[in-house]
Amino acid sequence: MSADNISQFSSLAIGRDTPAQPISEYFGELTFGLGEMRERLPREAFNELIKTLEHGRKLSKDTADAIAKAIMDWAIRKGATHFCHWFQPMTGLTAEKHDSFISIQHANHSELKVIERFTGSMLIQGEPDASSFPSGGMRSTFEARGYTAWDPTSPLFIVENAVGAKTLCIPTVFFGYHGQALDNKTPLLRSVQTLSQEACAFLKLLGDVDVKSVMATLGAEQEYFLVDREVAARRPDLMMTGRTLLGAPTARGQKLEDHYFGSIPTRVISFMEDLERELYRLGVPVKTRHNEVAPSQFEMAPIFESMSIASDHNTLAMETMKRVAARHNFMCLLHEKPFAAINGSGKHCNWSMSNDKGENLLDPGHTPHQNLRFLAVAAVVIRAVHKHAGILASSIMSPGNDLRLGGNEAPPTIISIFLGSMLEKIFETIARGEAARGSEREIINLGVSHIPDISKDYTDRNRTSPFAFTGNKFEFRAVGASANVAVPMSVLNAAVSDTLAEASARLKVILAKTPSRDEAVITLVRDLINENSAILFSGNNYSAEWREEAKRRHLPIIDSAADAFAVWNDEKATEFLISTKVLSREEILSRYNVQMERYVKSMEVELDTTVALVNEYVVPAIEKQLERTYAVQRDVKNDSLKSALGRRTAILESTFADLLSHCDSLKKSLDKLGETHDEVAKVAMLVRDCRPTADKLRAAADRAEQEVADELWTLPKYREMLFHHSMK
Ligand code: ADP
Ligand code: MG
């Protein structure tokens, strides 16, 4: 998104009591990364750390202690009293275990002295009680141990809670006794490493002989909703599940689409400024903020960074958003589909790769060689997304995203790529073979040397595409707002790594029989495009025709979470995760188990909450309304009014009857679900039976909302939740 609409709000800053401090003065003041290490560590210790980072060597005890000492001195000066190992278990949230810095020293027999102590081993390894985190069956109880290990590639940071206590957070990975990944970060780190190796090998074949490393880059645009906290607190569904389970859409909805271009409400601006300030202090480079399409929906986008840091930063940003929102009396909703009938929230993951010279491999560049490299890399990504479309679609599936993509009001998840007209045209020409015979001259004639213009090809951006080329990067848009980006990004990195290896092998064969390297590369590009054009689609992804067309093209169609889980359980579809060393078979299986368990649990909570809402709020409201209507009816003399009231009563009664009968069916289904112990069967029951019944129940409840007097309806309505702060 562009920063265009920011300027008009800058005048709001004038009202502040303190003059704004330049961001550069406090950016990252709560972080301790390599820069701080260089500044504060003895030279040998710093050099050893760099070697560790580059070659994966073990740190000596002395160095580890020196690093820990420098970190502790800094953290205590910043007011931190505790430290924690911060990690990302497979539930998709983060977890932390806090310890204070204090330690007891025996000065002599009778005297105890409290000192601050933090050693290298406390920094490097922790052992949280892992039994409360899901392992997907990987750990038997006798070895229910989990370990956290410091990830020195991501800066340490200090977080202040609501009452001002400060904790030093150490980014860590989380693994089991035999080294199995119990978290989302470990596979991500493995995937960026493999990607670098495979990309270097491929680039060398293209002629970039001096390339040393390739970095995956990520900029995650985060969408969210803000609801007034007092209003949200009166919605048990928001409190329990993060989304509304009942609620009739407002007449206005997002029909007018005026929110997108409108000014940000003052109360929200104040939240955003506070949020950004916190994130800047934590070293998160937030760049843009703006309204989104739906009322009360907003977006925040950072400047892209190296993948593992950007991933940590997105997780940290989500936590910070919730915390700062509470301070501003908002509830921040990161759910993918908090409200029916209006847009849900996604997290557009802008993905690219750059070499060690800082050149973006997906930037068409300025020379014919860079352009050719760009075309080759883009073709590889197209192949990767086509080959692994099913697992990419599954990697973004979650209970919430299931409603945003694939629910009854949303399009199914079918992964396809939108390239934009310019790139499409270039690839079409190459695919027709017009460039394969050619020399560099002909490639230039083709327009390859003018590719830089692609970045201006914004006119026909396709908002419905789940995976789009946007000038100098691909944007994976199907990712859900609440997702831990490490999951889909690991899969995408692995898919591209796998395809890079395949492409390198093919290119070697072509090179052996083609005199010119450029010609060989163009041949590879042509073959890749011809073989994988089925994944390219520039039409409306939300249309029914696309579904039919996708079927003809044999693209995987993921209609529900059940379909997604099946892909994780498909040995053939997941084989590349093993060959790229991103996950082992055991780890894949554990993810499959954890996801299913999580899906079943969150669905059970949703359905139980729906039944409770109906019983506690909707039924009593209809009963009162009926009582009133019957009372009025009783005394009416006028015949036409009598019959009109009769019709009104009949409508209410029929809504009530529907409501009660669907509620009964849902309760019966839930009972059956409770008797089932097989997770696969449970998922199937939830998808095929419980969810459709809950949808019918909701429809009846939402009808009732429109038939019952507002004063009798105690649940806050959509208009109160969505249009609340636009009035302030
Ligand atoms: P758009 O207008 O297409 O949304 P922006 O330039 O505003 O583009 O960028 C959107 C997001 O993409 C930002 O988070 C930005 O940092 C990120 N981004 C830009 N270039 C890259 C890149 N090479 N790799 C990863 N992310 C990138
Ligand atoms: Mg966006």
Side-chain angles (χ1 to χ4, degrees), residues 1 217-219 221 302-304 350 352 360 461 470 472-473:
M1 283 289 73
T217 52
L218 166 68
E221 304 168 53
I303 296 173
F304 71 94
N350 294 269
S352 190
N360 179 354
R461 288 173 72 175
T470 49
N472 56 5
K473 60 195 182 287

Side-chain angles (χ1 to χ4, degrees), residues 1 221 223 260 290 292 299 348 461 463 475 477:
M1 283 289 73
E221 304 168 53
E223 291 176 339
Y260 193 64
H290 60 81
E292 263 304 323
E299 183 188 287
H348 298 177
R461 288 173 72 175
R463 288 271 147 214
E475 193 170 330
R477 300 212 185 104

Side-chain angles (χ1 to χ4, degrees), residues 369-386:
H369 172 71
Q370 281 176 350
N371 287 338
L372 199 55
R373 180 177 73 191
F374 158 71
L375 290 174
V377 173
V380 164
V381 176
I382 291 169
R383 161 83 183 136
V385 173
H386 187 212

Side-chain angles (χ1 to χ4, degrees), residues 120-261:
S121 66
M122 290 152 103
L123 164 69
I124 290 172
Q125 187 151 324
E127 191 185 335
D129 174 15
S131 52
S132 45
F133 297 104
S135 72
M138 273 195 298
R139 276 165 302 153
S140 41
T141 12
F142 67 88
E143 55 180 41
R145 281 160 183 245
Y147 301 90
T148 51
W150 176 36
D151 165 19
T153 61
S154 193
L156 296 97
F157 55 93
I158 292 174
V159 166
E160 186 175 342
N161 70 13
V163 290
K166 290 179 183 159
T167 301
L168 169 71
C169 296
I170 305 165
T172 58
V173 291
F174 182 43
F175 53 91
Y177 187 71
H178 300 291
Q180 324 90 308
L182 294 175
D183 66 348
N184 291 324
K185 187 71 187 292
T186 306
L188 184 74
L189 292 174
R190 292 175 184 156
S191 76
V192 294
Q193 201 175 341
T194 310
L195 186 67
S196 176
Q197 285 158 1
E198 296 299 348
C200 285
F202 185 67
L203 291 182
K204 285 194 173 125
L205 290 174
L206 296 186
D208 288 357
V209 284
D210 52 351
V211 62
K212 287 186 196 61
S213 63
V214 165
M215 179 172 89
T217 52
L218 166 68
E221 304 168 53
Q222 177 76 50
E223 291 176 339
Y224 60 98
F225 279 87
L226 288 176
V227 177
D228 184 84
R229 208 149 83 115
E230 259 92 72
V231 177
R234 291 193 285 121
R235 292 281 316 205
D237 45 0
L238 281 186
M239 306 307 287
M240 305 298 291
T241 70
R243 78 173 181 108
T244 56
L245 299 169
L246 305 180
T250 59
R252 177 158 140 165
Q254 60 189 47
K255 274 196 204 98
L256 304 176
E257 299 215 337
D258 48 356
H259 184 69
Y260 193 64
F261 300 105

Side-chain angles (χ1 to χ4, degrees), residues 21-76:
Q21 198 184 354
I23 294 162
S24 57
E25 274 177 25
Y26 62 91
F27 187 84
E29 69 178 9
L30 295 178
T31 65
F32 197 93
L34 281 183
E36 289 72 21
M37 299 269 183
R38 181 183 292 116
E39 221 170 88
R40 290 166 205 272
L41 286 179
R43 184 190 291 273
E44 313 82 75
F46 181 72
N47 289 342
E48 202 190 316
L49 176 65
I50 294 299
K51 278 199 198 116
T52 304
L53 286 176
E54 280 171 3
H55 310 290
R57 263 186 231 157
K58 201 164 180 283
L59 278 180
S60 71
K61 186 176 179 306
D62 286 350
T63 304
D65 284 340
I67 296 173
K69 170 97 178 47
I71 291 172
M72 183 184 77
D73 289 348
W74 168 80
I76 288 176

